Amino acid sequence: MAAMAWALIGVFGAVFSLTLFLHRSLCGESIRMSKRVTEVVGAAPVSIRQQELSFPLLHRFIKPMLAGAAKALVRHIPAAGTETLEKRLLEAGRPWNLSARELLAVKYVLAGLGALGFMELWKLAGQTPMQSAVMAFLGCIAGWLAPDAVVSSKARQRRQQVEKSLPDVLDLITVCVEAGLGFDAALVKVVERSRGVLADELFQVLQEIRMGKSRREALREMADRMAVDDLSNFVGSVIMAEQLGISIGNVLRSQSKEARQKRRQRVEETAMKAPVKMLLPMVMFIFPAVFIVLLGPAAIQIMRAFGF
């Protein structure tokens, strides 16, 4: 049996070696030539069909289907009353490139799906029609408020990132200005050396300035998009210094110092809130477990002593 196994392994190895030798003899030169051409000329362009097939099913089928349904629904939604949604989308960085009317369409769709889903689940649970209607109403409210919660969460995360990175960005702008660069050149250096939400917004400001928009207007629009108090104070100070002819270096230095102080105060405030936030999980989860471990054996002995 062992001899037969070794014979099969030998035959397999011989066939594999022979196949590899023939492949290298017949196709080795063409493979080397194609590699050389790729190194010199570059890779061959990938067709559009191959690029589309490389995307996951979510991007190739589900997302276009949802986009088409949203566009069809948007046509029947009035444009009035969408200013607040548009402002919130700007503060959130316009997630998924949604417009205000598209977000409103998504809210309508999710409200309907939430009502239908909650009602069907409650019917399957064997509840009364009245209870199913109440659950459908709750599902409608949940579906309507879910997109608002997502947009608010993204806007809050962007504000936190800007508040965290603003002092460092102001320090870099101050150093560049004091080294002899202009304000726009300092913004270019910040964009080159920084990453994050604030760097992207400053890059957009530079693009708008290059397209002909005034610096004052571009900075003011950035502050309105972000809705961050520290950034609004910085933009207001820069605009005022430009109007009054004040040295922008002194303004940047004072703004940087103030931003660092505010960041330190926010960190201290968060640290002081931590014990209060930890109190509830400690009372609900940690203290009962400690009481069981400490008082459990004593309770068992007392029950045995009294014959329970």
Side-chain angles (χ1 to χ4, degrees), residues 274-304:
V276 180
K277 294 180 179 180
M278 293 171 59
L279 184 61
L280 183 61
M282 289 180 62
V283 172
M284 294 183 61
F285 302 107
I286 298 178
F287 286 170
V290 173
F291 290 155
I292 291 173
V293 172
L294 295 179
L295 302 180
I300 293 174
Q301 291 180 3
I302 291 173
M303 293 174 64
R304 288 178 180 176

Short mmCIF file of all heavy atoms in Angstrom, two decimals, residues 274-304:
data_model
loop_
_atom_site.label_atom_id
_atom_site.label_comp_id
_atom_site.label_asym_id
_atom_site.label_seq_id
_atom_site.Cartn_x
_atom_site.Cartn_y
_atom_site.Cartn_z
N ALA A 274 -17.30 62.23 33.34
CA ALA A 274 -17.10 60.78 33.30
C ALA A 274 -17.59 60.06 34.56
O ALA A 274 -18.28 59.04 34.46
CB ALA A 274 -15.63 60.46 33.03
N PRO A 275 -17.28 60.54 35.78
CA PRO A 275 -17.79 59.82 36.97
C PRO A 275 -19.30 59.76 37.04
O PRO A 275 -19.88 58.75 37.46
CB PRO A 275 -17.20 60.61 38.14
CG PRO A 275 -16.01 61.31 37.59
CD PRO A 275 -16.37 61.63 36.18
N VAL A 276 -19.97 60.84 36.61
CA VAL A 276 -21.43 60.84 36.64
C VAL A 276 -21.99 59.84 35.64
O VAL A 276 -22.96 59.13 35.92
CB VAL A 276 -21.96 62.26 36.35
CG1 VAL A 276 -23.49 62.28 36.37
CG2 VAL A 276 -21.41 63.24 37.36
N LYS A 277 -21.38 59.75 34.45
CA LYS A 277 -21.84 58.79 33.46
C LYS A 277 -21.54 57.35 33.88
O LYS A 277 -22.26 56.43 33.48
CB LYS A 277 -21.17 59.08 32.11
CG LYS A 277 -21.59 60.41 31.49
CD LYS A 277 -20.90 60.63 30.17
CE LYS A 277 -21.34 61.95 29.53
NZ LYS A 277 -20.66 62.19 28.23
N MET A 278 -20.49 57.14 34.64
CA MET A 278 -20.14 55.79 35.09
C MET A 278 -21.01 55.33 36.24
O MET A 278 -21.06 54.13 36.55
CB MET A 278 -18.67 55.75 35.51
CG MET A 278 -17.69 55.93 34.37
SD MET A 278 -16.00 56.13 34.95
CE MET A 278 -15.77 54.61 35.86
N LEU A 279 -21.72 56.25 36.89
CA LEU A 279 -22.50 55.89 38.07
C LEU A 279 -23.63 54.93 37.73
O LEU A 279 -23.87 53.94 38.44
CB LEU A 279 -23.05 57.16 38.72
CG LEU A 279 -23.82 56.96 40.04
CD1 LEU A 279 -22.91 56.34 41.09
CD2 LEU A 279 -24.37 58.30 40.52
N LEU A 280 -24.37 55.20 36.66
CA LEU A 280 -25.52 54.37 36.30
C LEU A 280 -25.12 52.93 35.96
O LEU A 280 -25.70 51.98 36.53
CB LEU A 280 -26.28 55.01 35.14
CG LEU A 280 -27.56 54.30 34.70
CD1 LEU A 280 -28.55 54.24 35.85
CD2 LEU A 280 -28.18 54.99 33.50
N PRO A 281 -24.15 52.67 35.09
CA PRO A 281 -23.77 51.26 34.85
C PRO A 281 -23.18 50.58 36.08
O PRO A 281 -23.36 49.37 36.27
CB PRO A 281 -22.74 51.35 33.71
CG PRO A 281 -22.29 52.76 33.68
CD PRO A 281 -23.44 53.57 34.16
N MET A 282 -22.50 51.34 36.95
CA MET A 282 -21.98 50.72 38.18
C MET A 282 -23.12 50.28 39.09
O MET A 282 -23.09 49.17 39.64
CB MET A 282 -21.07 51.71 38.91
CG MET A 282 -19.74 51.96 38.23
SD MET A 282 -18.71 53.13 39.14
CE MET A 282 -18.47 52.24 40.67
N VAL A 283 -24.15 51.13 39.23
CA VAL A 283 -25.26 50.78 40.10
C VAL A 283 -26.07 49.62 39.53
O VAL A 283 -26.54 48.74 40.26
CB VAL A 283 -26.15 52.02 40.33
CG1 VAL A 283 -27.43 51.65 41.07
CG2 VAL A 283 -25.38 53.06 41.13
N MET A 284 -26.24 49.59 38.21
CA MET A 284 -27.10 48.60 37.60
C MET A 284 -26.41 47.25 37.38
O MET A 284 -27.06 46.20 37.43
CB MET A 284 -27.65 49.12 36.27
CG MET A 284 -28.57 50.31 36.41
SD MET A 284 -29.25 50.84 34.81
CE MET A 284 -30.14 49.36 34.33
N PHE A 285 -25.11 47.25 37.11
CA PHE A 285 -24.44 46.01 36.70
C PHE A 285 -23.32 45.58 37.65
O PHE A 285 -23.18 44.39 37.94
CB PHE A 285 -23.86 46.19 35.28
CG PHE A 285 -24.88 46.55 34.26
CD1 PHE A 285 -24.94 47.83 33.74
CD2 PHE A 285 -25.80 45.62 33.81
CE1 PHE A 285 -25.90 48.18 32.80
CE2 PHE A 285 -26.76 45.95 32.86
CZ PHE A 285 -26.80 47.23 32.36
N ILE A 286 -22.52 46.53 38.12
CA ILE A 286 -21.33 46.14 38.91
C ILE A 286 -21.70 45.90 40.36
O ILE A 286 -21.33 44.87 40.96
CB ILE A 286 -20.23 47.22 38.79
CG1 ILE A 286 -19.79 47.35 37.32
CG2 ILE A 286 -19.05 46.89 39.67
CD1 ILE A 286 -18.77 48.42 37.08
N PHE A 287 -22.44 46.81 40.98
CA PHE A 287 -22.80 46.65 42.39
C PHE A 287 -23.60 45.38 42.66
O PHE A 287 -23.34 44.68 43.64
CB PHE A 287 -23.56 47.88 42.88
CG PHE A 287 -22.69 49.08 43.09
CD1 PHE A 287 -23.23 50.33 43.33
CD2 PHE A 287 -21.30 48.97 43.06
CE1 PHE A 287 -22.43 51.44 43.52
CE2 PHE A 287 -20.49 50.07 43.25
CZ PHE A 287 -21.05 51.30 43.47
N PRO A 288 -24.63 45.02 41.84
CA PRO A 288 -25.33 43.75 42.11
C PRO A 288 -24.42 42.54 42.07
O PRO A 288 -24.55 41.64 42.90
CB PRO A 288 -26.39 43.70 41.00
CG PRO A 288 -26.63 45.13 40.65
CD PRO A 288 -25.31 45.79 40.78
N ALA A 289 -23.48 42.52 41.10
CA ALA A 289 -22.56 41.38 41.04
C ALA A 289 -21.67 41.33 42.27
O ALA A 289 -21.42 40.26 42.83
CB ALA A 289 -21.72 41.48 39.77
N VAL A 290 -21.21 42.49 42.74
CA VAL A 290 -20.36 42.51 43.95
C VAL A 290 -21.15 42.07 45.17
O VAL A 290 -20.66 41.30 46.01
CB VAL A 290 -19.79 43.94 44.14
CG1 VAL A 290 -19.05 44.04 45.48
CG2 VAL A 290 -18.83 44.29 43.01
N PHE A 291 -22.40 42.51 45.28
CA PHE A 291 -23.23 42.11 46.41
C PHE A 291 -23.48 40.61 46.40
O PHE A 291 -23.49 39.96 47.46
CB PHE A 291 -24.56 42.87 46.38
CG PHE A 291 -24.41 44.33 46.69
CD1 PHE A 291 -25.35 45.25 46.23
CD2 PHE A 291 -23.33 44.80 47.42
CE1 PHE A 291 -25.21 46.60 46.51
CE2 PHE A 291 -23.19 46.14 47.72
CZ PHE A 291 -24.13 47.04 47.25
N ILE A 292 -23.70 40.05 45.20
CA ILE A 292 -23.93 38.60 45.13
C ILE A 292 -22.69 37.83 45.57
O ILE A 292 -22.77 36.85 46.32
CB ILE A 292 -24.35 38.21 43.70
CG1 ILE A 292 -25.74 38.76 43.39
CG2 ILE A 292 -24.33 36.69 43.52
CD1 ILE A 292 -26.17 38.57 41.96
N VAL A 293 -21.51 38.30 45.13
CA VAL A 293 -20.28 37.60 45.50
C VAL A 293 -20.00 37.72 46.99
O VAL A 293 -19.59 36.75 47.65
CB VAL A 293 -19.10 38.16 44.66
CG1 VAL A 293 -17.77 37.60 45.17
CG2 VAL A 293 -19.28 37.83 43.20
N LEU A 294 -20.25 38.93 47.57
CA LEU A 294 -19.92 39.13 48.97
C LEU A 294 -20.99 38.56 49.91
O LEU A 294 -20.66 37.92 50.93
CB LEU A 294 -19.75 40.63 49.25
CG LEU A 294 -18.56 41.30 48.53
CD1 LEU A 294 -18.52 42.78 48.87
CD2 LEU A 294 -17.25 40.63 48.92
N LEU A 295 -22.26 38.79 49.61
CA LEU A 295 -23.33 38.40 50.52
C LEU A 295 -23.96 37.05 50.18
O LEU A 295 -24.73 36.52 50.99
CB LEU A 295 -24.43 39.48 50.51
CG LEU A 295 -23.97 40.89 50.89
CD1 LEU A 295 -25.14 41.85 50.83
CD2 LEU A 295 -23.34 40.89 52.27
N GLY A 296 -23.65 36.51 48.99
CA GLY A 296 -24.24 35.22 48.62
C GLY A 296 -23.89 34.09 49.58
O GLY A 296 -24.79 33.38 50.08
N PRO A 297 -22.63 33.84 49.89
CA PRO A 297 -22.30 32.75 50.85
C PRO A 297 -22.93 32.96 52.22
O PRO A 297 -23.41 32.00 52.84
CB PRO A 297 -20.77 32.81 50.91
CG PRO A 297 -20.36 33.43 49.62
CD PRO A 297 -21.41 34.42 49.30
N ALA A 298 -22.94 34.21 52.71
CA ALA A 298 -23.55 34.47 54.01
C ALA A 298 -25.05 34.17 53.98
O ALA A 298 -25.61 33.60 54.92
CB ALA A 298 -23.30 35.91 54.43
N ALA A 299 -25.72 34.54 52.89
CA ALA A 299 -27.15 34.27 52.78
C ALA A 299 -27.43 32.77 52.74
O ALA A 299 -28.39 32.28 53.35
CB ALA A 299 -27.71 34.95 51.52
N ILE A 300 -26.57 32.01 52.06
CA ILE A 300 -26.76 30.55 52.01
C ILE A 300 -26.58 29.93 53.40
O ILE A 300 -27.35 29.05 53.83
CB ILE A 300 -25.76 29.94 50.99
CG1 ILE A 300 -26.12 30.40 49.57
CG2 ILE A 300 -25.78 28.42 51.07
CD1 ILE A 300 -25.11 29.97 48.53
N GLN A 301 -25.59 30.38 54.15
CA GLN A 301 -25.37 29.86 55.51
C GLN A 301 -26.53 30.21 56.44
O GLN A 301 -26.97 29.39 57.26
CB GLN A 301 -24.06 30.40 56.07
CG GLN A 301 -22.81 29.85 55.35
CD GLN A 301 -21.54 30.40 55.93
OE1 GLN A 301 -21.58 31.16 56.90
NE2 GLN A 301 -20.41 30.00 55.36
N ILE A 302 -27.06 31.43 56.29
CA ILE A 302 -28.20 31.83 57.13
C ILE A 302 -29.42 30.96 56.79
O ILE A 302 -30.15 30.51 57.70
CB ILE A 302 -28.50 33.31 56.92
CG1 ILE A 302 -27.37 34.17 57.50
CG2 ILE A 302 -29.83 33.70 57.58
CD1 ILE A 302 -27.50 35.64 57.22
N MET A 303 -29.66 30.70 55.53
CA MET A 303 -30.78 29.86 55.14
C MET A 303 -30.61 28.44 55.65
O MET A 303 -31.57 27.82 56.12
CB MET A 303 -30.91 29.87 53.63
CG MET A 303 -31.34 31.22 53.03
SD MET A 303 -31.32 31.25 51.24
CE MET A 303 -32.59 30.04 50.89
N ARG A 304 -29.41 27.91 55.63
CA ARG A 304 -29.18 26.57 56.17
C ARG A 304 -29.35 26.53 57.68
O ARG A 304 -29.87 25.55 58.24
CB ARG A 304 -27.77 26.10 55.78
CG ARG A 304 -27.63 25.75 54.32
CD ARG A 304 -26.20 25.35 54.02
NE ARG A 304 -26.02 25.00 52.59
CZ ARG A 304 -24.86 24.69 52.05
NH1 ARG A 304 -23.75 24.69 52.82
NH2 ARG A 304 -24.79 24.36 50.79
#
